[in-house]
Amino acid sequence: MWLGGVGSLERVAELGIDAAVSLCRLGTLDMPGVAREDHATFWVVDSAVEGDNAHAAFVLGEAAAAVERFRAEGKTVLLHCVRAESRTPTVAALYGARVARISPIKALEDVRRALPNARPNPLFLRLLEDSQAAGHHAPTKATAAAAE
């Protein structure tokens, strides 16, 4: 799995990426080399204002589930937004919590080793904390397969 910003799109072939989860808008030609069925797009606004993202917790969770599904299929996944500072680390932490069976906040600490500029906005950070409190980081069948 690779984490990055839109600049990472130029390296898809070089890195052997065959699936992508995009957290920002892209044009139809911006993901060369990845089949349409292996590209999940979630238009998430990097905003701490609750109303700017309808059902933010659900959408971010679905993005993490898309990463999980592609990984369970054995795919090399690029998870990206524009700058990999807020949206990407948030979804990576949700996915990492499931795979590693740790809390989303602990997973975010791990993500920050790969993305030192990771700073989820206050809304996304609160959603990670809420997910931790609710225990939503329990592994699923697909997570168990991806971890093997």
Side-chain angles (χ1 to χ4, degrees), residues 115-134:
L115 296 174
N117 292 328
R119 289 181 308 280
N121 71 51
L123 172 64
F124 295 171
L125 188 57
R126 190 190 55 158
L127 293 174
L128 289 175
E129 291 166 348
D130 290 351
S131 179
Q132 177 172 311

Side-chain angles (χ1 to χ4, degrees), residues 86-147:
S86 184
R87 293 171 282 192
T88 295
T90 299
V91 173
L94 290 169
Y95 169 72
R98 290 178 174 186
V99 171
R101 299 180 175 140
I102 59 176
S103 74
I105 297 303
K106 171 66 174 118
L108 179 60
E109 292 172 16
D110 294 342
V111 168
R112 284 183 170 139
R113 284 199 291 268
L115 296 174
N117 292 328
R119 289 181 308 280
N121 71 51
L123 172 64
F124 295 171
L125 188 57
R126 190 190 55 158
L127 293 174
L128 289 175
E129 291 166 348
D130 290 351
S131 179
Q132 177 172 311
H136 290 164
H137 54 277
T140 64
K141 289 180 184 177
T143 301

Side-chain angles (χ1 to χ4, degrees), residues 3-9 21-24 26 44 46 78-89:
L3 306 174
V6 291
S8 304
L9 302 178
V21 176
S22 300
L23 304 172
C24 57
L26 293 176
V44 180
D46 186 10
L78 170 63
L79 172 62
H80 81 92
C81 60
V82 176
R83 294 175 29 171
E85 292 178 355
S86 184
R87 293 171 282 192
T88 295

Side-chain angles (χ1 to χ4, degrees), residues 1-4 8 11 15-17 71 76-80 88:
M1 183 168 135
W2 293 91
L3 306 174
S8 304
R11 300 185 63 205
L15 298 172
I17 292 165
R71 292 293 302 131
T76 301
V77 180
L78 170 63
L79 172 62
H80 81 92
T88 295

